[in-house]
Amino acid sequence: MKIERFKDARTGRWKWKADLTCAGVRHRPVADSKDELLDEVDAIRRRARAARYGLPVERRAVALDELVAEHTRDFDLRDKNRRRARTVLLDFASRLKAKGVREVTAADLRDYARALKSEFRVGQKLRERTRRERAEAAGKRYEPRKPPDLSPHSLNKCLNFVSAMLNAAPHLFEADLGDYRPPRVPWASVPRRWRRRPVSQDEDGLLLAKLREPRAEGERERGWRSRLEVADLFEVALNTGMRPGECVRLTWPQVDFESGEIYLGRTKTGEDRFVPVNSRVAELLGRRRAEATSKFVFPNPEGTAPRSSYYRAITGAARALGLPYGQRVENGFTLYSTRHTAATRMLRAGADISSVQEILGHSNATMSLHYSHATRATTRRAAESLVRGAADKNSTGEEGTSPEVLSTEHVGEG
């Protein structure tokens, strides 16, 4: 048996681990102290000895609350995703009323999913009623909307947190749950039509022009400034491929005008990310820097925090132009679609996949290709390249594009 002390790279805490083989099975328990580790090793040997002589194996019933506490103990709660995971897991445990981990069944998970969808629907109805009451109180016309259902993406996000915790149970409590097998998770099917589409150049031109229109008569100054702010936010996202959340939380110390880069820190892939700034973004950020009164590039009206909402301004402009905006709108686009647009436009312009991957911050090229989209023009060019003799002309350089550029275009747009 080998015992050693190591520093957990994720949490920065010192821990102990052992590597031993007992009854032909390899075990690698991990504990916070050497005493706890030796206790786990003793428990492993006792179970192996009991199984060898046909004795009943004593196993402690691990409560679901105990599993949640152990699973989230090392969570860095400064991370928004970790905070959300902890909230979801605490809520899940409270619904099952102190059940043991082994008592959680697939039926419990199905009931949990149904409850989430039902509660979301009730919340949307309450919001719609509040909107109607406010419109009536202000003497405005009320236009009813159909309350949306909980999206499959959001439901699967919650189920993913629960599934990850249940899958970690045999490792967190190896002595008592070493042979535990989690129940089947009722994942929600995601319709393919929900895949985000890129924004066309006509659409982004119309939308930016609408958002930057002069202040209308009777328009509040705060609403007018909000439109201008959202226009800059939309254009920065369109020209950098940054995620909307990364744009909103951007601060001036992250913008290096000398090197022409934006430093986003350690992103969701776990690596430091630098985004190059093109001439348009440099011009736009330079103007905003000269007028800045907050450390945030896109601050709230008070300048004390990042902008919390952009939906009203961009939705109003899109509706006025008749553009399909919204994830649940047929053929609609959203602010996140600018990321798909940036990837698609760079690849169509002949950029190599490695450069696009670096700019978007993807861990592999496959994800970058997922963000690219083909059009009728690109598919027509691809089909035309199959004409007999076209490939030979391209290879000699007499007509068309060189083989390298043609290959890059077709890979990026497929």
Side-chain angles (χ1 to χ4, degrees):
M1 180 179 67
K2 182 180 179 181
I3 296 180
E4 61 180 346
R5 187 171 179 243
F6 72 100
K7 191 172 186 178
D8 192 333
R10 184 170 60 87
T11 63
R13 297 173 54 181
W14 287 97
K15 295 186 176 184
W16 289 83
K17 64 180 179 180
D19 191 340
L20 72 153
T21 301
C22 191
V25 179
R26 188 180 183 184
H27 300 271
R28 285 177 284 187
V30 178
D32 289 327
S33 67
K34 189 173 182 179
D35 290 338
E36 291 181 10
L37 182 66
L38 293 175
D39 289 341
E40 289 195 31
V41 171
D42 289 340
I44 291 172
R45 287 173 173 169
R46 284 197 305 271
R47 288 198 308 273
R49 193 178 301 113
R52 179 181 179 183
Y53 294 106
L55 302 175
V57 179
E58 296 182 4
R59 296 186 185 277
R60 183 174 62 89
V62 179
L64 194 57
D65 292 336
E66 189 178 355
L67 175 60
V68 172
E70 183 65 22
H71 181 63
T72 61
R73 185 161 57 96
D74 293 331
F75 276 14
D76 183 0
L77 297 182
R78 293 172 297 180
D79 183 83
K80 182 177 70 173
N81 198 51
R82 292 294 187 181
R83 290 199 305 271
R84 182 183 177 188
R86 185 172 180 270
T87 301
V88 168
L89 295 178
L90 289 172
D91 174 66
F92 175 73
S94 66
R95 293 172 185 267
L96 298 188
K97 300 178 181 178
K99 263 192 173 185
V101 176
R102 291 184 181 275
E103 298 173 6
V104 178
T105 63
D108 291 327
L109 296 179
R110 288 195 296 271
D111 291 341
Y112 173 66
R114 280 194 291 266
L116 288 181
K117 290 189 282 189
S118 176
E119 291 167 8
F120 182 85
R121 198 175 299 115
V122 170
Q124 290 298 316
K125 288 181 179 179
L126 290 176
R127 291 187 184 91
E128 187 66 16
R129 187 174 69 182
T130 302
R131 195 175 71 86
R132 183 191 62 199
E133 292 173 352
R134 287 179 178 175
E136 292 174 352
K140 297 180 180 179
R141 180 183 177 184
Y142 166 69
E143 297 181 0
R145 305 175 191 165
K146 181 181 178 181
D149 293 327
L150 181 65
S151 71
H153 302 277
S154 299
L155 178 58
N156 285 342
K157 186 76 171 179
C158 295
L159 292 175
N160 186 56
F161 292 142
V162 175
S163 176
M165 179 186 68
L166 295 178
N167 284 319
H171 307 287
L172 296 173
F173 296 91
E174 187 173 358
D176 304 303
L177 298 173
D179 60 343
Y180 172 69
R181 294 293 178 268
R184 184 177 180 182
V185 180
W187 302 108
S189 59
V190 180
R192 290 181 60 85
R193 63 181 178 84
W194 280 27
R195 187 187 184 200
R196 295 179 177 92
R197 69 169 178 85
V199 186
S200 70
Q201 291 187 350
D202 290 339
E203 288 173 332
D204 71 61
L206 289 171
L207 191 60
L208 289 172
K210 184 67 177 178
L211 289 170
R212 289 179 172 141
E213 282 183 348
R215 184 180 176 184
E217 184 178 353
E219 184 180 14
R220 295 174 58 188
E221 182 179 0
R222 184 166 178 171
W224 169 60
R225 293 192 179 278
S226 178
R227 282 198 291 110
L228 300 180
E229 188 96 2
V230 171
D232 289 349
L233 175 66
F234 184 83
E235 195 164 7
V236 167
L238 197 64
N239 281 272
T240 61
M242 292 165 57
R243 299 177 179 90
E246 294 169 342
C247 293
V248 169
R249 294 190 298 270
L250 191 64
T251 60
W252 289 115
Q254 294 176 263
V255 182
D256 189 343
F257 287 96
E258 293 184 3
S259 63
E261 288 182 328
I262 295 175
Y263 173 60
L264 296 179
R266 185 154 294 185
T267 58
K268 60 190 289 187
T269 60
E271 297 181 358
D272 290 340
R273 182 174 164 214
F274 295 87
V275 178
V277 172
N278 61 22
S279 57
R280 176 55 186 157
V281 176
E283 176 188 351
L284 193 151
L285 292 182
R287 171 176 57 79
R288 295 190 62 83
R289 186 71 180 97
E291 305 169 353
T293 57
S294 170
K295 72 172 185 177
F296 297 101
V297 178
F298 300 102
N300 62 2
E302 293 77 23
T304 57
R307 166 169 289 277
S308 59
S309 175
Y310 48 79
Y311 180 79
R312 182 175 297 180
I314 197 169
T315 304
R319 285 179 178 170
L321 294 168
L323 300 178
Y325 183 87
Q327 187 169 340
R328 294 182 175 86
V329 176
E330 185 178 357
N331 200 34
F333 65 92
T334 64
L335 184 58
Y336 202 98
S337 301
T338 56
R339 191 160 163 83
H340 294 248
T341 306
T344 302
R345 290 181 182 178
M346 284 188 288
L347 289 168
R348 287 176 188 167
D352 60 274
I353 188 65
S354 298
S355 298
V356 176
Q357 176 187 343
E358 185 72 19
I359 292 174
L360 297 182
H362 289 146
S363 57
N364 57 70
T366 303
M367 181 59 70
S368 300
L369 290 174
H370 170 75
Y371 272 68
S372 67
H373 297 257
T375 64
R376 289 184 178 178
T378 58
T379 54
R380 191 178 297 112
R381 286 204 305 269
E384 191 65 26
S385 68
L386 300 176
V387 176
R388 182 182 296 277
D392 296 335
K393 291 180 181 180
N394 283 332
S395 63
T396 58
E398 296 177 0
E399 295 183 16
T401 313
S402 64
E404 291 81 4
V405 174
L406 186 62
S407 175
T408 303
E409 285 185 353
H410 290 174
V411 169
E413 295 162 5

